[in-house]
Amino acid sequence: MAGTDCIFCKIAAGEVPAAMVHQDGDFVAFRDINPQAPTHVLVIPREHIPTLNDAQDPDLMGRMLLFARGVAEREGLAERGYRLVINTNAQAGQTVFHMHVHVLGGRPMRWPPG
Ligand code: 5GP
Ligand code: ZN
């Protein structure tokens, strides 16, 4: 079930422009339009999965994690450090309901997150 009105589906399809970082047959990585760190990339599955709660395929989820790791490596963050975030539903602040991994780095990250 493709999200016909989903902004991230449109980015994955090339129908809405985005600053692409990397892509393969299953995932797309592009720069966040409102970056919260010097490096802020979003990794999405091409498949429209609204939230992590809806994810079914452990292989796809595992490969998404390694794809996000690869983005961090390409961005030169692997040794310095980086943070992966998946906001899920309202209280976590999810605003786009096509699941995505935030890859954040290039500055010290605080803990606990806000
Ligand atoms: P969430 O709050 O759902 O975890 O994260 C959604 C993210 O998507 C936000 O950081 C927001 O800046 C980003 N975003 C929303 N719309 C667009 C868009 O059209 N293009 C890009 N590149 N990022 C977007
Ligand atoms: Zn979508």
Side-chain angles (χ1 to χ4, degrees):
M1 126 195 122
T4 50
D5 214 25
C6 170
I7 185 73
F8 285 1
C9 280
K10 288 177 179 165
I11 287 173
E15 294 166 10
V16 165
M20 290 294 167
V21 171
H22 191 49
Q23 49 187 309
D24 69 9
D26 289 318
F27 308 105
V28 179
F30 53 94
R31 298 198 190 280
D32 197 293
I33 203 166
N34 182 24
Q36 301 301 312
T39 297
H40 188 172
V41 174
L42 302 174
V43 171
I44 64 169
R46 289 187 183 277
E47 181 184 350
H48 181 78
I49 301 169
T51 82
L52 181 58
N53 292 343
D54 303 298
Q56 302 285 344
D57 183 345
D59 177 66
L60 187 74
M61 291 298 99
R63 287 185 293 105
M64 186 169 69
L65 191 58
L66 296 183
F67 187 95
R69 181 190 71 181
V71 168
E73 289 168 353
R74 285 164 177 272
E75 295 289 314
L77 297 171
E79 300 307 320
R80 279 187 289 162
Y82 57 95
R83 184 171 292 175
L84 304 183
V85 173
I86 304 177
N87 294 324
T88 302
N89 277 341
Q91 207 164 64
Q94 186 175 4
T95 58
V96 177
F97 285 82
H98 179 133
M99 76 167 294
H100 47 279
V101 180
H102 296 258
V103 181
L104 295 151
R107 64 166 171 83
M109 296 290 160
R110 290 179 296 276
W111 193 263

